[in-house]
Amino acid sequence: MKVQVYDEASQIGKAAAMLIAAKIITNPRCVLGLATGSTPLPTYASLVEFYDKGILDFSTIRTFNLDEYVGVSRSHEQSYYRFMFDNLFSKININPDNVQLPNPISANPEDDCEPYDAAIEAAGGIDLQLLGIGNNGHIAFNEPCGVFPFGTHIVDLTESTVEANKRFFDSIEDVPKKAITMGVGSIMKAREIIIIATGKAKAEAVWSMINGEVNPVCPASVLRLHAKVTAFLDREAASLL
Ligand code: PGA
């Protein structure tokens, strides 16, 4: 894993956007894996800036998002679908037909998991996956547990994740407790991965990812087994390294 430390989140946003931009320029039909959360916002802002300046054309790329809440409609202002449109897709020339997020619509959400992995495979697999990391070391919504979950699955969010997400909702009762998420196996199949982390709250998880055992107690630690991962950190997130 390559580790780059920057002073500011905006620099991380630019650096990550530059890697994504290079991928799009060298392969205009590339498949990107995208993440939600606060950390990728500067990355998306930089991608929008590249688009506004005429540097990037998104018209033929395809994207798959990592995860989505279960039981939250796509029009809900906290759905990850809305997040992606508000912060990126509505600001660039991406074809909405080329955008996919997991969407549990069946009476049994488990039935929507395998088709999501199949759709990624059918698109040729993910060329570049953007990831954040949870305070508890999760990647996507793969929470700390006893085994690395392989494919897309339904997950009960841990108390620490519900707590971290409550800033987006009126009260903790409103925070969804279940999500559909790409598995660790789905993520590890990506040909290249960028993981970004900012702020002191991420410092322990970042330490475990880089220096701890490769163990599903810190799901992000699995990334050390991937051949092409770059971690972009700010000084606070890197403070325990
Ligand atoms: P954040 O979330 O970017 O909002 O901190 C990251 C994550 O939980 O994966």
Side-chain angles (χ1 to χ4, degrees):
M1 183 183 296
K2 255 184 253 157
V3 180
Q4 299 265 28
V5 181
Y6 290 96
D7 288 332
E8 288 173 24
S10 63
Q11 294 171 310
I12 293 178
K14 284 212 168 59
M18 282 161 77
L19 286 192
I20 295 169
K23 191 64 72 184
I24 296 172
I25 291 166
T26 51
N27 178 9
R29 302 186 67 79
C30 68
V31 179
L32 299 179
L34 298 178
T36 52
S38 310
T39 319
L41 286 172
T43 303
Y44 295 150
S46 293
L47 288 174
V48 171
E49 194 186 319
F50 293 159
Y51 171 70
D52 287 341
K53 290 186 171 153
I55 298 166
L56 279 186
D57 173 11
F58 293 85
S59 60
T60 52
I61 69 159
R62 284 159 299 161
T63 68
F64 288 87
N65 262 77
L66 287 168
D67 45 19
E68 179 59 284
Y69 292 124
V70 171
V72 169
S73 76
R74 289 194 149 182
S75 57
H76 189 287
E77 59 175 10
Q78 292 305 336
S79 76
Y80 288 170
Y81 186 82
R82 255 301 272 284
F83 175 99
M84 291 308 301
F85 274 87
D86 290 352
N87 293 295
L88 184 64
F89 299 152
S90 65
K91 299 179 176 179
I92 57 175
N93 66 334
I94 199 161
N95 177 349
D97 293 341
N98 289 348
V99 159
Q100 295 213 46
L101 282 90
N103 184 26
I105 45 168
S106 308
N108 177 12
E110 300 283 349
D111 295 343
D112 297 307
C113 295
E114 193 274 329
Y116 197 65
D117 286 321
I120 295 173
E121 292 287 318
I126 291 172
D127 293 300
L128 179 60
Q129 175 68 58
L130 178 65
L131 288 179
I133 181 171
N135 298 348
N136 61 3
H138 73 201
I139 46 174
F141 275 133
N142 293 282
E143 300 283 38
C145 64
V147 286
F148 289 116
F150 188 74
T152 296
H153 60 286
I154 306 293
V155 65
D156 291 316
L157 302 180
T158 61
E159 232 176 274
S160 120
T161 298
V162 171
E163 184 64 32
N165 290 351
K166 81 170 186 220
R167 66 194 195 275
F168 301 115
F169 292 85
D170 291 338
S171 75
I172 196 143
E173 288 73 40
D174 295 334
V175 184
K177 309 294 183 301
K178 274 188 189 296
I180 179 168
T181 181
M182 271 166 61
V184 167
S186 333
I187 292 169
M188 289 291 281
K189 282 188 190 169
R191 294 179 188 93
E192 183 174 356
I193 295 174
I194 303 171
I195 183 156
I196 52 178
T198 56
K200 219 170 181 52
K202 301 290 170 70
E204 279 185 30
V206 164
W207 185 90
S208 301
M209 168 176 77
I210 294 172
N211 291 325
E213 270 178 46
V214 174
N215 188 308
V217 169
C218 175
S221 64
V222 76
L223 298 176
R224 298 223 306 278
L225 304 180
H226 192 285
K228 207 165 182 198
V229 180
T230 309
F232 292 120
L233 312 173
D234 72 356
R235 295 211 177 277
E236 289 188 333
S239 59
L240 299 179
L241 296 179

